[in-house]
Amino acid sequence: MSYDLVVIGTGPGGYVCAIRAAQLGLRTAVVEKRATHGGTCLNVGCIPSKALLHASEAFEEANKHFADLGIDVGTPKLDLKKMMSFKAEGVAGNTKGVEFLLKKNKVDTFHGTGRIAGAGRVEVIAEDGGNQMLETKSIVIATGSDVARLPGVTIDEKVVVSSTGALELDRVPKKLLVIGAGVIGLELGSVWRRLGSEVTVVEYLDRVLPGMDGEVGKQFQRILTKQGIAFKLSTKVTGVEVGKKGGASVTVEPAAGGEAETLQADVVLVCIGRTPYTEGLGLDTVGVQRDDKGRIQTDSHYATNVTGIYAIGDVIAGPMLAHKAEDEGVAVAEMLAGQSGHVNYGVIPNVVYTFPEVASVGKTEEELTKDGIAYNAGKFPFTANGRAKANGTTDGFVKVLADAQTDRVLGVHIVGADAGNLIAEVAVAMEFGASSEDIARTCHAHPTLTEAVKEAALAVNKRAIHV
Ligand SMILES: Cc1cc2nc3c(=O)[nH]c(=O)nc-3n(C[C@H](O)[C@H](O)[C@H](O)COP(=O)(O)OP(=O)(O)OC[C@H]3O[C@@H](n4cnc5c(N)ncnc54)[C@H](O)[C@@H]3O)c2cc1C
């Protein structure tokens, strides 16, 4: 079988790449070793976690806030099994959707592990051992990432779980200990806290959400603490021991060294990041170079050092986000079809889907200070936004950072209800090189939360109206 393009892996990077390539007239095939398409994102990542965040948020609303709205539903009862089938339905709907789209675009699909036998040759090894060889002009590796392990800690997906196990628990743990205060740990910690767990988050660094704006991190931690999540920052985990009767003892000590203490938990969630996944690809045989973190090295055209082999998504450098993988998939497909694909890495939104949400795009204050770029900051709290007041969702703020000389928007950071949707207008504005005044002079509908974005833009030049 002979193709223009074979894509290995059908996560958001791979399947989007294949569809775009097929749209542009390339004869395209995909190889996927999982039974369903959609990769980490649809099967064990973005989609199932968001389904549980949605369902657990509804549970908490009914439990704690409906009465304030004059709705008496009594004490809601959790049916965890049903909640898990709600999540599974969402996953199935999405993975079947990808299968349909691949078929609709006439992309051939092969199930099995893809191994690069040489430039232009991909061997598909099926689970039953059967194999077939695909000939192709180009290969795109989109094999994604896997959970990072903590040395000496075995993940059994029952007592010591990764994000995958935390999406499948069959009962609410009384005590959940989360190792790592990054996005995934805080999202899944929020899910189980809402469903009744006592949640403690242990983080090596002195802050939550490393890499995001510091002020946002501080405010967000305060909100999560108010919701009942306990934090142990600047603390390292030195050991996890699973008890004979279940549960685990987790030994921790100050990151800077000091006295150790032992914490008890029913379930320990290890959420310390993800590592690029290249197992079984045969990269050493063909000589594809990787960096010191195991990521496939590519140039700005996603080309590896071996002619005809490209890579995108979590398996290469950059933020491990589904939309980053998708955009790279489109870009490389367009380049292979002779067009000029492009990804603007300066404008990739980043969202934490807790309540409230956290969303950011562009530079943080810390990055601007480090780069020596003079900027003006405009901030607007949701306590002063009419719609937030009416909805009773006043936690958080919008912060716009604009170049001190040109007023060009360099970064926007939001903590607040629906922040993940609010960030989209700013991403568009930044793609068009908008100034804070451009956003401030754009008419925003009233009463909406988007008015807080406009007011923060006004605040850059100290002319916010509602504070
Ligand atoms: C719990 C969780 C929540 C997340 N939430 C979000 C979110 O809300 N928003 C967001 O943007 N990102 C989120 N992410 C990250 C997101 O899932 C990844 O960034 C994204 O899936 C990366 O896409 P990808 O196409 O590079 O790889 P993946 O989605 O990892 O897909 C790679 C695919 O390649 C297949 N594969 C691997 N090796 C081979 C081989 N040799 N042959 C054949 N197939 C192979 C794998 O089976 C897999 O299906 C989340 C991740 C997790 C774990």
Side-chain angles (χ1 to χ4, degrees), residues 8-14 31-34 39-41 44-46 49-50 112-114 142-145 163 184 274 277 279 281 313-314 320-323 325 353:
I8 308 177
T10 57
V31 184
E32 172 56 57
K33 65 179 195 173
R34 217 184 269 272
T40 303
C41 173
V44 291
C46 324
S49 60
K50 265 79 255 180
T113 299
T143 49
S145 60
S163 56
I184 298 175
R274 297 184 62 81
Y277 186 80
E279 231 175 270
L281 269 177
D314 277 12
M320 287 183 164
L321 293 168
H323 39 286
Y353 296 87

Side-chain angles (χ1 to χ4, degrees), residues 81-103:
K81 218 165 147 199
K82 179 81 188 136
M83 195 177 276
M84 288 295 173
S85 20
F86 165 76
K87 177 207 69 179
E89 276 165 30
V91 169
N94 275 284
T95 57
K96 283 193 192 120
V98 172
E99 196 180 320
F100 165 79
L101 290 172
L102 290 170
K103 207 176 277 174

Side-chain angles (χ1 to χ4, degrees), residues 117-413:
R121 292 166 70 230
V122 176
E123 183 186 17
V124 184
I125 306 156
E127 224 171 83
D128 64 6
N131 69 339
Q132 51 192 319
M133 191 64 80
L134 312 178
E135 306 282 334
T136 177
K137 287 184 193 145
S138 305
I139 298 167
V140 169
I141 301 169
T143 49
S145 60
D146 193 9
V147 290
R149 322 258 150 181
L150 201 56
V153 177
T154 309
I155 293 177
D156 60 18
E157 297 296 14
K158 287 193 165 57
V159 176
V160 184
V161 299
S162 69
S163 56
T164 306
L167 293 165
E168 292 287 339
L169 298 180
D170 57 7
R171 76 189 72 148
V172 179
K174 195 166 170 325
K175 286 188 179 181
L176 172 70
L177 188 135
V178 181
I179 306 176
V183 178
I184 298 175
L186 297 183
E187 286 186 354
L188 294 174
S190 291
V191 165
W192 292 105
R193 184 207 50 80
R194 292 166 186 169
L195 300 182
S197 297
E198 268 173 51
V199 177
T200 303
V201 179
V202 179
E203 166 60 50
Y204 183 82
L205 298 175
D206 61 357
R207 53 160 301 177
V208 306
L209 298 180
M212 288 184 95
D213 189 86
E215 188 182 14
V216 162
K218 267 195 204 119
Q219 170 96 353
F220 186 52
Q221 188 192 336
R222 243 178 265 135
I223 294 170
L224 292 184
T225 305
K226 225 167 51 183
Q227 291 176 359
I229 294 185
F231 288 92
K232 274 188 157 305
L233 302 183
S234 305
T235 303
K236 68 177 168 199
V237 172
T238 53
V240 177
E241 202 174 307
V242 176
K244 285 202 178 77
K245 291 185 190 155
S249 304
V250 180
T251 320
V252 300
E253 63 182 47
E259 210 171 306
E261 77 178 291
T262 303
L263 308 170
Q264 300 300 327
D266 300 291
V267 171
V268 178
L269 165 57
V270 182
C271 259
I272 55 162
R274 297 184 62 81
T275 52
Y277 186 80
T278 53
E279 231 175 270
L281 269 177
L283 294 188
D284 292 333
T285 324
V286 278
V288 170
Q289 271 170 9
R290 276 161 286 176
D291 66 15
D292 55 350
K293 292 188 172 135
R295 302 174 296 197
I296 295 178
Q297 278 182 321
T298 58
D299 65 13
S300 58
H301 289 71
Y302 307 104
T304 68
N305 60 309
V306 178
T307 308
I309 304 181
Y310 302 80
I312 56 165
D314 277 12
V315 81
I316 68 168
M320 287 183 164
L321 293 168
H323 39 286
K324 176 259 192 189
E326 286 186 38
D327 284 7
E328 288 177 345
V330 169
V332 75
E334 291 179 348
M335 286 175 199
L336 291 173
Q339 298 188 352
S340 326
H342 175 70
V343 177
N344 179 359
Y345 289 95
V347 185
I348 295 186
N350 195 359
V351 179
V352 189
Y353 296 87
T354 42
F355 189 89
E357 292 182 343
V358 179
S360 71
V361 63
K363 300 276 188 195
T364 63
E365 289 205 56
E366 290 77 9
E367 284 169 336
L368 292 173
T369 306
K370 191 168 138 262
D371 295 347
I373 299 171
Y375 64 93
N376 293 320
K379 232 175 99 178
F380 189 81
F382 281 105
T383 42
N385 171 270
R387 185 65 179 275
K389 271 198 246 188
N391 289 354
T393 56
T394 50
D395 273 340
F397 61 83
V398 179
K399 180 164 72 175
V400 173
L401 307 174
D403 189 287
Q405 253 150 34
T406 64
D407 193 36
R408 187 181 179 132
V409 178
L410 302 173
V412 176
H413 307 276

